[in-house]
Amino acid sequence: MAITVAVAGASGYAGGEVLRLLLNHPAYLSGELEIGALTGHSTAGESVGALMPHLPQLRERRIVDSTVENLAGHDVVFLGLPHGHSAEIAKTLGEEVLVIDCAADFRLKDKAAWDAYYDGEYAGSWPYGIPEMPGHREAIAQSKRVAVAGCFPTTTTLGALPAVAKGLIEPDISVIAVTGVSGAGKKASVAQLGAETMGNVRAYKPGGSHRHTPEMVQNLSEYSQQGPVAVSFTPVLAPMSRGILATITAKLAPGVDAAAVRAAYEEFYADEPFCLVLPEGQQPETQNVVGSNMVHIQAHVDDITGRLIVTAALDNLCKGTAGGAVQCMNLALGLPETAGLPQAAVAP
């Protein structure tokens, strides 16, 4: 029998990107995977063709309400819902159902961190969905519940992880990340209007106030040789639809030089199909990862100040959300991890 997949929040940016990837998944093309219920709230009753004409294979399908009844009976359920809505639905789905949550409901292990940054009741934590973090690939493969990482934490974690894990830097990190407007979701917002974003760049939720900060701290502290990692994170909104470019800086540990950094990064990601350490002198660019599940990374040593400057770019909707979710689905179902996930980007 075919694997059946439902997508809650199908008409949102994350849900739509999950569908785009599934429609090109080899299991879907062979008939081994079927796309079942497509659910939403405000868009219930509308056709996919009207809402998402970029998905012509599903144009005749209609969005149905995000009820337990509509989601039940599937082998896999992707939850592309706003924060705070996943926990209740997940409780009602059987333990045999693979549930992949693209929201923050189950990402944080520390209740105090949740309470400090999110509203609503703390729901606990699930295996965390960045397979490239050592030990996480195995945990995802053995689980029926996966919490997909946030887009900023995915970029920052993969950019900084080799330096933290190898003890190349002091555990005090600064992150400035430029992001496209799709990261805020599809909801109507004055701040996201074209007239507000075109020709304009602005920082928001600076240093310590963005809710992705504790996720970054959690991820990097897991591998730190020097205790908990401090992260000061400021996002910057740029007039583009997709993409994140993060600049990560930290003081080098004593005795660390550029050759050691280069060797550590190349070794750490040598066998990772979606993490590309660029040649020396080449910088990541968002245009080179659009539509792909890749993270492009460069690590540069500033000899004058003794600091490491890591730049990392990814597509926030693909590797940063939906691509990471499908990657986790592949692992949990025993499918090839790279199935349906493009390495090549859209250019120009």
Side-chain angles (χ1 to χ4, degrees):
M1 291 180 61
I3 300 165
T4 57
V5 179
V7 179
S11 58
Y13 287 141
E17 186 74 348
V18 167
L19 291 172
R20 181 182 75 87
L21 296 171
L22 291 179
L23 288 169
N24 291 285
H25 197 290
Y28 174 79
L29 297 174
S30 69
E32 299 170 81
L33 183 149
E34 294 180 355
I35 297 175
L38 308 178
T39 81
H41 178 60
S42 61
T43 57
E46 298 187 54
S47 72
V48 172
L51 295 168
M52 296 177 285
H54 67 292
L55 304 176
Q57 303 98 313
L58 301 173
R59 63 186 179 277
E60 302 299 332
R61 300 282 299 277
R62 291 197 173 271
I63 305 296
V64 298
D65 286 325
S66 292
T67 62
V68 175
E69 292 74 21
N70 286 328
L71 293 171
H74 295 85
D75 299 305
V76 182
V77 175
F78 288 95
L79 298 178
L81 303 171
H83 303 312
H85 291 76
S86 300
E88 284 303 314
I89 289 178
K91 287 179 184 177
T92 64
L93 298 172
E95 294 183 359
E96 74 284 355
V97 179
L98 173 58
V99 183
I100 300 176
D101 184 26
C102 295
D105 294 37
F106 298 99
R107 292 174 187 163
L108 296 177
K109 299 176 182 177
D110 183 2
K111 181 180 182 298
W114 171 271
D115 291 340
Y117 284 87
Y118 292 93
D119 297 325
E121 184 179 351
Y122 177 63
S125 64
W126 289 353
Y128 186 77
I130 297 183
E132 294 84 0
M133 293 171 64
H136 285 242
R137 180 173 278 115
E138 296 76 12
I140 293 165
Q142 297 171 13
S143 180
K144 289 290 188 180
R145 298 288 189 272
V146 180
V148 177
C151 52
F152 286 124
T154 299
T155 320
T156 300
T157 299
L158 294 176
L161 186 54
V164 171
K166 299 291 186 179
L168 303 180
I169 57 175
E170 301 296 335
D172 188 352
I173 297 172
S174 173
V175 182
I176 306 293
V178 179
T179 183
V181 295
S182 63
K186 216 171 185 177
K187 63 184 180 297
S189 168
V190 171
Q192 306 302 113
L193 291 173
E196 302 292 331
T197 57
M198 288 188 296
N200 186 39
V201 177
R202 65 178 175 87
Y204 65 101
K205 294 189 179 299
S209 56
H210 194 284
R211 57 178 50 172
H212 281 178
T213 302
E215 204 175 326
M216 298 176 189
V217 171
Q218 172 181 282
N219 295 353
L220 296 174
S221 295
E222 183 176 337
Y223 304 95
S224 174
Q225 301 177 17
Q226 305 173 62
V229 175
V231 177
S232 178
F233 166 57
T234 298
V236 176
L237 186 67
M240 57 186 185
S241 58
R242 290 176 179 243
I244 291 175
L245 176 66
T247 301
I248 305 157
T249 63
K251 191 76 174 176
L252 285 167
V256 175
D257 60 14
V261 169
R262 167 61 51 174
Y265 270 77
E266 290 182 345
E267 178 186 2
F268 200 92
Y269 288 130
D271 298 320
E272 291 296 346
F274 299 122
C275 295
L276 176 63
V277 179
L278 297 176
E280 291 186 62
Q282 183 178 3
Q283 281 294 319
E285 301 179 43
T286 57
Q287 68 175 355
N288 294 330
V289 293
V290 170
S292 81
N293 202 51
M294 297 297 296
V295 185
H296 287 189
I297 301 168
Q298 182 59 272
H300 170 78
V301 169
D302 181 348
D303 290 316
I304 297 174
T305 64
R307 298 184 71 81
L308 177 65
I309 295 91
V310 178
T311 44
L314 55 68
D315 182 331
N316 58 292
L317 292 181
C318 198
K319 178 57 174 170
T321 308
V326 172
Q327 190 177 346
C328 291
M329 179 197 77
N330 289 338
L331 285 167
L333 293 178
L335 300 172
E337 184 176 340
T338 58
L341 296 171
Q343 292 176 302
V346 178

